[in-house]
C-alpha cells in the first residue's frame, strides 16, 4: 500500500479538477459524494477500503484502529437509512492520523465532526446508527460513488469532488497533472482567451454553424 504521508505530500497541491482532466470521468465519484462541511481542506492519501452491508457499520468501526496515518478510509455501503459513524469514531480516526472518510452512505453528529475539522465526504447525515454484527475482510476492492477503489489507490478530495488515482498509474498521473498545472500557470488570460476562441470557432465551423 502507498505510504500515507508520501501520497498526501505528492498530491496535496493537485486540484481534483486537474486530476479529472487527466483521468477522465471513470475515476471521479458521482456528485452525491460531497463534503459534509465547508470550507473543507483538500485531502489526499492511500485508500483503506471497507465494505459495510446495509444497516451495519462494524467494519468501519474496526477500520479506524487499523488504518495507518495518512490513510483515507473509503467505505462501500449505499445504506441511506443508518449512519456509518458519528463524532467519537471520527475523533478516534483523526487522533490516529486518518486523513478523512469517503463514504457511500451517511454519517451523524455532524456538528461535532465539523468542530473537530475532520474531513468527511459522504451522501449526507442521519441520526440513526447502524448495527455491529457483520464481520468481513478489510482492504478488499470496493465500489464508492460509482468508482472501483482498490486498497492503496490514491484518493484526492476537495470541494469539487473525489477522484481516485489507481496505484499502478500514480507516477504517470502525478507527472501529467504537474505538467498541466505548470502550463496553465505560465499562460495569461489573454493567451487562453485567444486560444479558446480559436478552438471554439473551429468546432462551430466543423458543425456548420454560421454567425
Amino acid at each position: 500500500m502507498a505510504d500515507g504521508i508520501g501520497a498526501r505530500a505528492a498530491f496535496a497541491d493537485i486540484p481534483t479538477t486537474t486530476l479529472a482532466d487527466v483521468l477522465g470521468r471513470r475515476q471521479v465519484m458521482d456528485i452525491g459524494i460531497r463534503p459534509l462541511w465547508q470550507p473543507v481542506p483538500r485531502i489526499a492519501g492511500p485508500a483503506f477500503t471497507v465494505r459495510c452491508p446495509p444497516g451495519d457499520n462494524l467494519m468501519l468501526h474496526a477500520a479506524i484502529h487499523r488504518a495507518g496515518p495518512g490513510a483515507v478510509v473509503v467505505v462501500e455501503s449505499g445504506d441511506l437509512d443508518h449512519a456509518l459513524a458519528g463524532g467519537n469514531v471520527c475523533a478516534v480516526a483523526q487522533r490516529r492520523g486518518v486523513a478523512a472518510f469517503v463514504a457511500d452512505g451517511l454519517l451523524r453528529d455532524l456538528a461535532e465532526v465539523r468542530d473537530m475539522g475532520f474531513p468527511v465526504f459522504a451522501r449526507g447525515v442521519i441520526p440513526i446508527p447502524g448495527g455491529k454484527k457483520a464481520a468481513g475482510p478489510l482492504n478488499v476492492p470496493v465500489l464508492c460513488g460509482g468508482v472501483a477503489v482498490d486498497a492503496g489507490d490514491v484518493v484526492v478530495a476537495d470541494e469539487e469532488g473525489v477522484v481516485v488515482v489507481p496505484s499502478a498509474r500514480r507516477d504517470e498521473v502525478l507527472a501529467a497533472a504537474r505538467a498541466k498545472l505548470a502550463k496553465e500557470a505560465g499562460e495569461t488570460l489573454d493567451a487562453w482567451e485567444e486560444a479558446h476562441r480559436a478552438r471554439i470557432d473551429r468546432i462551430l465551423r466543423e458543425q456548420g454553424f454560421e454567425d
Side-chain angles (χ1 to χ4, degrees), residues 70-162:
V72 177
V73 175
V74 179
V75 188
E76 175 183 327
S77 171
D79 183 5
L80 299 182
D81 293 315
H82 305 86
L84 289 163
N88 285 343
V89 171
C90 290
V92 171
Q94 184 181 54
R95 186 164 65 181
R96 291 183 51 80
V98 170
F101 286 168
V102 174
D104 199 331
L106 310 174
L107 278 80
R108 69 177 195 163
D109 301 330
L110 180 57
E112 293 179 32
V113 177
R114 180 175 56 238
D115 288 347
M116 73 180 71
F118 183 67
V120 284
F121 298 78
R123 293 200 181 275
V125 295
I126 196 169
I128 305 169
K132 294 171 181 60
K133 296 180 180 179
L138 293 168
N139 278 326
V140 294
V142 300
L143 190 67
C144 185
V147 177
V149 186
D150 290 325
D153 287 350
V154 178
V155 180
V156 182
D158 58 23
E159 63 185 1
E160 301 280 352
V162 185

Side-chain angles (χ1 to χ4, degrees), residues 2-211:
D3 172 69
I5 306 304
R8 181 169 58 193
F11 284 87
D13 62 342
I14 310 293
T16 55
T17 48
T18 301
L19 291 172
D21 288 344
V22 171
L23 285 164
R25 178 68 186 88
R26 185 176 180 180
Q27 297 304 122
V28 181
M29 292 190 187
D30 71 55
I31 63 170
I33 311 297
R34 306 298 300 169
L36 295 188
W37 54 267
Q38 295 277 12
V40 68
R42 181 176 301 123
I43 61 96
F48 187 99
T49 58
V50 182
R51 281 182 184 164
C52 291
D56 200 281
N57 58 29
L58 175 63
M59 294 318 297
L60 173 55
H61 288 234
I64 65 170
H65 303 290
R66 292 161 175 81
V72 177
V73 175
V74 179
V75 188
E76 175 183 327
S77 171
D79 183 5
L80 299 182
D81 293 315
H82 305 86
L84 289 163
N88 285 343
V89 171
C90 290
V92 171
Q94 184 181 54
R95 186 164 65 181
R96 291 183 51 80
V98 170
F101 286 168
V102 174
D104 199 331
L106 310 174
L107 278 80
R108 69 177 195 163
D109 301 330
L110 180 57
E112 293 179 32
V113 177
R114 180 175 56 238
D115 288 347
M116 73 180 71
F118 183 67
V120 284
F121 298 78
R123 293 200 181 275
V125 295
I126 196 169
I128 305 169
K132 294 171 181 60
K133 296 180 180 179
L138 293 168
N139 278 326
V140 294
V142 300
L143 190 67
C144 185
V147 177
V149 186
D150 290 325
D153 287 350
V154 178
V155 180
V156 182
D158 58 23
E159 63 185 1
E160 301 280 352
V162 185
V163 180
V164 179
V165 180
S167 58
R169 299 184 61 193
R170 171 179 166 164
D171 293 343
E172 164 209 337
V173 171
L174 184 59
R178 285 180 172 167
K180 180 175 174 58
L181 288 173
K183 179 181 178 182
E184 291 171 350
E187 184 178 45
T188 66
L189 180 59
D190 287 343
W192 184 91
E193 181 182 8
E194 182 179 355
H196 179 261
R197 177 65 184 268
R199 175 171 174 262
I200 296 303
D201 286 350
R202 174 181 57 78
I203 295 171
L204 289 173
R205 287 194 302 272
E206 291 171 352
Q207 296 294 321
F209 176 83
E210 296 182 2
D211 288 325

